Amino acid sequence: MAVLNRSGRRGKVVHLHPQEAALHVDGVTRHFTGRRGSTTALQDFSLDVADGELVSVVGPSGCGKSTLLDLLAGHQRPDAGHVFAHGEEVTGPSRRRMVIFQEHALFPWLTARGNVEFGLELAGVGKAERRERAAAWLHRVHLDGFEDSLVHELSGGMRQRVAIARGFALEPEVLLMDEPFSALDAQTRDQMHGELQDLWSATGTTIVFITHNVREAVLLGDRVVVMSAHPGRIRRVVDVDLPRPRHMEDAGLIDIARDLVADLRDEVPSRRAAGA
């Protein structure tokens, strides 16, 4: 596995002790069995994510990105290997690790405020505090005046803002984001990129961001993990040392993204040559 900085020089793979890492994935393999037989989604996959780091994961369709996120969240268990979060093995879901999905997964019968408060109520937060925290986070995602709006009264971007507010309001140690902006129009997506960078900088929350968009991965990530498909492995890790806040039009960002896109294009012929 190669780790490269902007100049293309090979660096060191980041290895942390399980007790030191926010997330420690050690030699994970995950199989699925369907009508067409067995499929290996991930094979001997290892990755460390440091506290406060924002790591983007990108790769071709079917490379196991969402499976990786499910394993980190505790929604699935590996067939081999181990997943740790802050030194504790992940054996199931936890409020310490929150997931924001591609679809906002909001409750349509609740208001924006009600959706943010729902998770806080489940966590045992008192009524006054959860109302205060919901209001504060809706303000931070620029939804002042929409607190009492129902889901169907909100645009797609506004719904995803509610989902992000709900995730951050619980103050998780790790936020797992599964292509949360892919269904948004380009202008709204650009706005959300800026807002997520601001929230991450302000909170220091560890974030793993799954995406199929290479430029988005470079825009957001301290590191970009590039995956190969069938079975999913780490093909390459790139350190992104561009200053923040970043923008899609930044020349350095475009250069890194162009290099990664070319690398992913090479994945298809190399797999064909191997008879995959």
Side-chain angles (χ1 to χ4, degrees):
M1 176 180 64
V3 180
L4 295 92
N5 57 25
R6 287 180 60 198
S7 65
R9 294 192 301 271
R10 291 176 182 267
K12 293 182 179 179
V13 178
V14 176
H15 289 302
L16 300 173
H17 189 277
Q19 299 293 334
E20 300 173 337
L23 295 168
H24 176 77
V25 183
D26 181 19
V28 161
T29 296
R30 183 71 172 105
H31 303 292
F32 294 97
T33 301
R35 291 179 299 174
R36 298 184 178 181
S38 179
T39 299
T40 302
L42 295 172
Q43 183 169 316
D44 196 24
F45 188 100
S46 297
L47 176 69
D48 287 325
V49 178
D51 257 326
E53 191 176 21
L54 200 168
V55 172
S56 300
V57 181
V58 67
S61 296
C63 71
K65 300 187 297 293
S66 293
T67 299
L68 172 64
L69 185 135
D70 282 342
L71 292 167
L72 295 175
H75 297 156
Q76 297 182 29
R77 296 291 304 277
D79 296 302
H82 303 275
V83 180
F84 295 88
H86 292 95
E88 296 183 5
E89 186 157 14
V90 174
T91 58
S94 168
R95 294 192 187 99
R96 298 170 67 183
R97 302 180 307 280
M98 294 300 300
V99 181
I100 296 177
F101 298 98
Q102 180 177 349
E103 297 295 332
H104 48 75
L106 300 177
F107 299 114
W109 58 88
L110 294 178
T111 63
R113 179 189 289 112
N115 270 282
V116 177
E117 287 189 16
F118 182 82
L120 295 171
E121 184 176 6
L122 289 180
V125 178
K127 183 175 180 180
E129 183 182 350
R130 66 176 182 258
R131 194 168 186 85
E132 180 181 342
R133 281 165 67 172
W137 276 103
L138 288 170
H139 169 73
R140 293 182 79 165
V141 298
H142 310 291
L143 285 177
D144 298 286
F146 294 94
E147 297 90 342
D148 296 319
S149 298
L150 293 169
V151 172
H152 75 271
E153 297 173 317
L154 303 173
S155 68
M158 295 166 78
R159 294 172 190 174
Q160 205 61 299
R161 284 187 172 93
V162 175
I164 289 173
R166 180 176 59 184
F168 274 104
L170 280 164
E171 300 177 353
E173 295 172 350
V174 177
L175 198 59
L176 305 168
M177 308 186 76
D178 192 4
E179 303 197 35
F181 306 146
S182 62
L184 303 178
D185 63 86
Q187 183 176 359
T188 303
R189 190 163 58 244
D190 286 347
Q191 293 173 347
M192 297 301 294
H193 288 153
E195 291 176 15
L196 179 60
Q197 290 182 81
D198 290 342
L199 293 173
W200 171 73
S201 297
T203 62
T205 304
T206 304
I207 297 177
V208 176
F209 191 97
I210 304 293
T211 180
H212 65 276
N213 186 313
V214 173
R215 196 179 292 190
E216 180 177 66
V218 177
L219 174 75
L220 296 174
D222 291 326
R223 288 185 293 148
V224 178
V225 176
V226 182
M227 294 181 62
S228 60
H230 309 303
R233 297 188 180 95
I234 294 180
R235 178 181 175 94
R236 182 179 178 188
V237 178
V238 177
D239 292 321
V240 183
D241 59 357
L242 299 172
R244 295 182 185 273
R246 300 172 186 161
H247 306 280
M248 283 291 193
E249 300 78 15
D250 294 344
L253 186 153
I254 293 171
D255 288 343
I256 297 172
R258 183 185 299 117
D259 181 50
L260 293 183
V261 168
D263 198 32
L264 285 169
R265 286 199 188 110
D266 289 343
E267 177 74 5
V268 176
S270 66
R271 284 179 40 73
R272 285 175 179 165

